Amino acid sequence: MAETPRVELTAAAADLLRRLRAAHGPLMFHQSGGCCDGSAPMCYPDGEFRTGDSDVLLASLDVAGVAEPVRFWMSKSQFEVWSHTRLIVDVVEGRGSGFSLEAPEGVRFLIRSRLVGT
């Protein structure tokens, strides 16, 4: 039986990542778990956000049309809260964080979740 991925992308999120990759090069996500924008996944050029011992690498996402995996990091404290869920990265209209690469596109990444095993 194949293991359910910890993090997955909707078709809309994968499409946006292809566009962002073409404009900005290799990408990464980080979700800090802070209030407001910190609770959303933030997309950065790979390596621009420094990760460390307080972060967990949840996935290296393979995106069709993107040469390298897109790594998805989360703060350990946030992972403790989300550890029982499967994270689904989606895209919705609206303004996200000014620091995340999709902000000028008029959309923002959003996490949807399901309990592990569902």
Side-chain angles (χ1 to χ4, degrees):
M1 177 182 236
E3 185 177 318
T4 302
R6 168 79 57 199
V7 181
E8 60 186 84
L9 302 168
T10 64
D15 183 53
L16 180 55
L17 285 172
R18 283 187 283 277
R19 293 193 324 262
L20 293 174
R21 169 58 174 91
H24 301 284
L27 304 170
M28 68 179 288
F29 279 109
H30 187 273
Q31 186 167 335
S32 69
C35 72
C36 308
D37 285 334
S39 60
M42 307 284 278
C43 185
Y44 301 100
D46 190 36
E48 185 171 302
F49 186 93
R50 291 190 65 168
T51 57
D53 291 342
S54 62
D55 299 297
V56 177
L57 177 61
L58 295 184
S60 291
L61 302 165
D62 291 320
V63 181
V66 173
E68 61 286 312
V70 178
R71 296 179 302 158
F72 191 101
W73 294 86
M74 182 179 276
S75 69
K76 280 184 182 178
S77 60
Q78 184 71 351
F79 178 67
E80 290 173 13
V81 175
W82 291 83
S83 64
H84 63 287
T85 62
R86 179 170 29 131
L87 306 177
I88 303 156
V89 181
D90 200 1
V91 175
V92 295
E93 289 187 19
R95 179 152 167 74
S97 169
F99 295 112
S100 194
L101 290 175
E102 81 280 3
E105 305 284 323
V107 295
R108 63 187 177 96
F109 287 108
L110 172 86
I111 290 292
R112 300 184 189 282
S113 64
R114 290 203 175 107
L115 291 175
V116 171
T118 65

